[in-house]
């Protein structure tokens, strides 16, 4: 149970990311990270072990003049000294774990039956100097992480049992005589109990879904693309990391490429995401119909020189108010193709193709199509991390507009293009850059904070190395 919780903590730190086909997400847990996971798991177990209720124990003891049948029940752990284990990666295998000096104090009730005599009371059981040495093998089975016990040995220093109540003063000398037997029985049960816990963890991992919802519109495939890579300095997990639309899942028209996240042994965790991961998310959101917005006049700032009204648009499109005078307008803005991200050594580039359909709203609230404008734009971003914040700056690299279709006749789009470019460069980007200057919280595993983070943008992927802590 103890080791189970330590391993759960370890896997939770790195399981939201987990090489192939080619993986799109990679995570590296260093020796420092493994030790930190062990410390966190030990602390958690130390705080929760007092709530543990132990199963009853039944048996017989031959005292020379007959056998005493006993039942120990309603047992609970009163205290536990739980040293932080020594953990290390076992190259090519998994994780070795050694812990010594565990002491446990248990309190419970006893019932005895000897001939016609029935007796009961309460007892205290103290177990000292428990040690456990084990090696766990990590692998993959049906795209899940698998875990099994390769080696396990345990020892118990000493055991003291004190009976109270009833005629315990009669039984206590016999209990003392058999304390070494009790010690051997406890020692014999440690590894089977540990292996049972590992088996439970294995079943839990096997049952974990490979499709994880990431909000209301998309999910991500977190299946392993290969077995964990284990070196003496760390553990690498490689995950498919592809996003899909929940309503209309389909493969994107591009493919993952091999990348390798740098192993940063001076940081606890390193995470890497490829262009494919990000672009598959954009494709999934596009397939889900999310990348669009209906713009109405009440969304336009009051200080704007032009509002969504056909008469006001006469300044830009003279024939519009002649055909549809003084009518409110709406604009449906949407991505016409998948926005594509590329990572190019310190710079993130985004290429976006979008369209804007304009409508006049008639007296009967019917939407009358007017024209469609097609936009091609590209933005570059420089980003970095500061503690747990993502900061950076965006820059417009290109913005071009063409008239895609029209129901009101051709018109020059230069003035509209100039107005939109002005709005983006003087209103939209400054607001976004102000937000990025203050920083956006970096998403991470729930319940953990990151510190000492460093973000690097490489060719084809972005990586973050960081230390972890509990709030």
């Amino acid at each position: 149970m103890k080791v189970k919780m330590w391993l759960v903590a370890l896997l939770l730190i790195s399981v939201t990311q987990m090489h192939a086909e080619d993986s799109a997400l990679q995570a590296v847990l260093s020796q420092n990270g493994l030790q930190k996971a062990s410390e966190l798991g030990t602390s958690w177990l130390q705080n929760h072990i007092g709530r543990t209720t132990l199963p009853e124990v039944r048996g017989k003891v031959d005292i020379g003049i007959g056998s005493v049948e006993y039942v120990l029940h309603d047992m609970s752990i009163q205290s536990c000294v739980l040293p932080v284990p020594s953990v290390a990666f076992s190259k090519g295998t998994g994780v070795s774990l050694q812990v010594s000096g565990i002491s446990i104090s248990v309190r419970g009730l006893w019932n005895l039956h000897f001939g016609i005599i029935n007796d009961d009371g309460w007892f205290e059981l103290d177990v000292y100097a428990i040690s456990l040495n084990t090696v766990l093998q990590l692998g993959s089975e049906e795209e899940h992480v698998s875990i099994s016990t390769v080696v396990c040995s345990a020892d118990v220093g000493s055991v003291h049992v004190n009976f109270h109540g009833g005629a315990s003063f009669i039984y206590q000398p016999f209990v003392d005589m058999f304390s070494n037997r009790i010690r051997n029985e406890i020692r014999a049960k440690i590894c089977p109990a540990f292996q049972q816990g590992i088996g439970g963890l294995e079943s839990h991992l096997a049952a974990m879904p490979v499709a994880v919802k990431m909000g209301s519109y998309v999910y991500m495939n977190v299946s392993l693309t290969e077995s964990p890579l284990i070196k003496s300095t760390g553990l690498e997990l490689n995950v498919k990391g592809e996003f899909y639309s929940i309503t209309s899942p389909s493969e994107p028209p591009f493919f993952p490429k091999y990348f390798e996240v740098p192993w940063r042994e001076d940081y606890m965790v390193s995470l890497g995401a490829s262009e494919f991961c990000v672009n598959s998310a954009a494709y999934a959101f596009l397939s889900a119909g999310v990348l669009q917005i209906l713009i109405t006049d009440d969304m336009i700032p009051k200080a704007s020189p032009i509002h969504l009204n056909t008469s006001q648009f006469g300044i830009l499109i003279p024939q519009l108010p002649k055909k549809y005078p003084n009518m409110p307008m709406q604009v449906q803005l949407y991505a016409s193709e998948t926005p594509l991200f590329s990572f190019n050594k310190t710079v993130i580039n985004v290429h976006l193709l979008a369209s804007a359909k304009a409508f006049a709203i008639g007296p009967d609230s019917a939407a009358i199509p007017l024209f469609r404008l097609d936009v091609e734009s590209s933005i570059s971003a420089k980003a970095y991390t500061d503690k747990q914040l993502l900061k950076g700056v965006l820059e417009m690299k290109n913005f071009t507009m063409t008239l895609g279709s029209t129901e009101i006749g051709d018109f020059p789009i230069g003035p509209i293009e100039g107005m939109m470019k002005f709005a983006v460069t003087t209103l939209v980007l400054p607001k976004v850059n102000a937000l990025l200057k203050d920083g956006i919280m970096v998403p991470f595993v729930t319940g953990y904070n990151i510190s000492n983070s460093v973000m690097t943008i490489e060719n084809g992927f972005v990586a973050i190395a960081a230390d972890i802590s509990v709030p």
Side-chain angles (χ1 to χ4, degrees):
M1 175 65 182
K2 305 174 186 65
V3 178
K4 173 183 175 181
M5 296 313 304
W6 290 323
L7 289 170
V8 167
L10 161 62
L11 292 171
L12 285 177
I13 291 169
S14 51
V15 80
T16 55
Q17 48 276 326
M18 284 186 281
H19 225 6
E21 297 119 56
D22 279 312
S23 64
L25 283 174
Q26 294 180 13
V28 174
L29 184 69
S30 70
Q31 176 62 40
N32 289 340
L34 179 64
Q35 190 62 44
K36 183 63 175 182
S38 176
E39 293 172 5
L40 294 175
T42 301
S43 178
W44 184 93
L45 186 59
Q46 189 77 67
N47 293 332
H48 290 77
I49 200 167
R51 306 173 190 173
T52 303
T53 299
L54 304 176
E56 68 175 31
V57 176
R58 294 175 177 268
K60 291 183 179 181
V61 176
D62 187 352
I63 61 173
I65 57 174
S67 295
V68 177
E69 298 178 4
Y70 63 89
V71 180
L72 307 180
H73 59 98
D74 292 320
M75 295 182 291
S76 60
I77 297 175
Q78 300 299 298
S79 64
C80 178
V81 176
L82 188 60
V84 175
S86 173
V87 289
F89 291 107
S90 178
K91 185 177 180 180
T93 303
V95 176
S96 65
L97 183 148
Q98 297 178 339
V99 59
S100 59
I102 304 173
S103 297
I104 299 176
S105 179
V106 176
R107 184 168 179 168
L109 304 178
W110 60 265
N111 294 90
L112 294 180
H113 175 72
F114 178 61
I116 61 173
I117 301 174
N118 292 291
D119 205 354
D120 60 71
W122 60 278
F123 71 93
E124 296 169 329
L125 169 65
D126 297 312
V127 186
Y128 300 101
I130 302 173
S131 63
L132 175 68
N133 297 314
T134 185
V135 175
L136 301 173
Q137 183 167 22
L138 300 179
S140 64
E141 185 172 345
E142 297 182 352
E143 301 181 326
H144 290 84
V145 174
S146 64
I147 182 171
S148 59
T149 306
V150 179
V151 175
C152 181
S153 63
D155 199 5
V156 176
S158 60
V159 173
H160 298 289
V161 184
N162 290 312
F163 275 51
H164 304 274
S168 58
F169 64 95
I170 298 176
Y171 313 125
Q172 186 64 48
F174 297 101
V175 173
D176 294 339
M177 291 172 56
F178 287 92
S179 61
N180 193 53
R181 179 187 296 180
I182 297 172
R183 168 181 168 272
N184 290 335
E185 289 181 357
I186 293 175
R187 179 177 58 189
K189 291 180 179 179
I190 292 176
C191 280
F194 167 78
Q195 290 165 341
Q196 183 178 5
I198 294 300
L201 179 57
E202 167 75 7
S203 299
H204 175 73
L205 293 173
M208 291 180 65
V210 297
V212 178
K213 288 187 65 176
M214 309 294 284
S216 303
Y217 304 101
V218 301
Y219 68 89
M220 183 172 64
N221 186 324
V222 296
S223 60
L224 286 178
T225 59
E226 62 178 328
S227 295
L229 175 62
I230 302 164
K231 300 180 181 180
S232 59
T233 56
L235 161 72
E236 179 179 292
L237 294 174
N238 297 273
V239 167
K240 187 171 184 180
E242 181 175 352
F243 286 81
Y244 296 89
S245 163
I246 292 176
T247 55
S248 53
S250 61
E251 295 291 336
F254 41 82
F255 303 93
K257 297 179 181 179
Y258 174 79
F259 77 103
E260 188 171 346
V261 65
W263 285 48
R264 301 291 298 266
E265 297 176 19
D266 47 338
Y267 293 90
M268 295 180 185
V269 179
S270 299
L271 307 177
S274 70
E275 292 172 347
F276 177 82
C277 176
V278 179
N279 289 330
S280 73
Y283 179 80
F285 279 111
L286 180 69
S287 301
V290 177
L291 302 184
Q292 59 179 311
I293 184 173
L294 184 64
I295 303 174
T296 58
D297 190 61
D298 57 3
M299 300 166 65
I300 306 298
K302 292 183 178 180
S304 174
I306 296 181
H307 282 258
L308 289 179
N309 181 280
T310 54
S311 294
Q312 292 201 24
F313 257 74
I315 301 174
L316 303 172
I317 311 174
Q319 68 267 40
L320 179 58
K322 295 177 181 179
K323 190 170 185 178
Y324 300 106
N326 199 31
M327 294 173 64
M329 295 173 61
Q330 292 180 348
V331 177
Q332 184 183 21
L333 180 64
Y334 58 95
S336 52
E337 293 186 18
T338 304
L340 292 178
F341 293 75
S342 62
F343 304 130
N344 301 304
K345 206 67 177 176
T346 75
V347 176
I348 302 173
N349 294 306
V350 185
H351 183 252
L352 176 63
L353 295 176
S355 295
K357 287 183 179 179
F359 302 87
I361 306 303
D364 57 353
S365 299
I368 305 168
L370 301 175
F371 55 86
R372 188 192 82 235
L373 300 176
D374 296 331
V375 178
E376 181 176 359
S377 64
S378 59
I379 297 173
S380 67
K382 291 186 177 181
Y384 63 96
T385 56
D386 181 7
K387 297 180 181 179
Q388 203 165 344
L389 297 175
L390 175 65
K391 298 184 178 182
V393 61
L394 303 182
E395 180 184 356
M396 177 70 73
K397 306 298 291 186
N398 175 60
F399 186 95
T400 57
M401 181 179 290
T402 57
L403 181 60
S405 63
T406 176
E407 284 78 22
I408 58 174
D410 291 343
F411 56 89
I413 63 168
I416 299 178
E417 182 181 25
M419 182 184 68
M420 293 302 298
K421 187 181 297 185
F422 177 82
V424 171
T425 56
T426 62
L427 297 176
V428 178
L429 285 183
K431 287 186 177 181
V432 175
N433 284 333
L435 179 64
L436 288 174
K437 183 178 180 180
D438 293 334
I440 301 172
M441 188 68 68
V442 176
F444 207 66
V445 179
T446 302
Y448 296 89
N449 287 336
I450 67 172
S451 59
N452 304 322
S453 60
V454 57
M455 178 179 178
T456 57
I457 302 170
E458 306 291 345
N459 291 328
F461 68 95
V462 60
I464 296 178
D467 292 330
I468 55 174
S469 61
V470 177

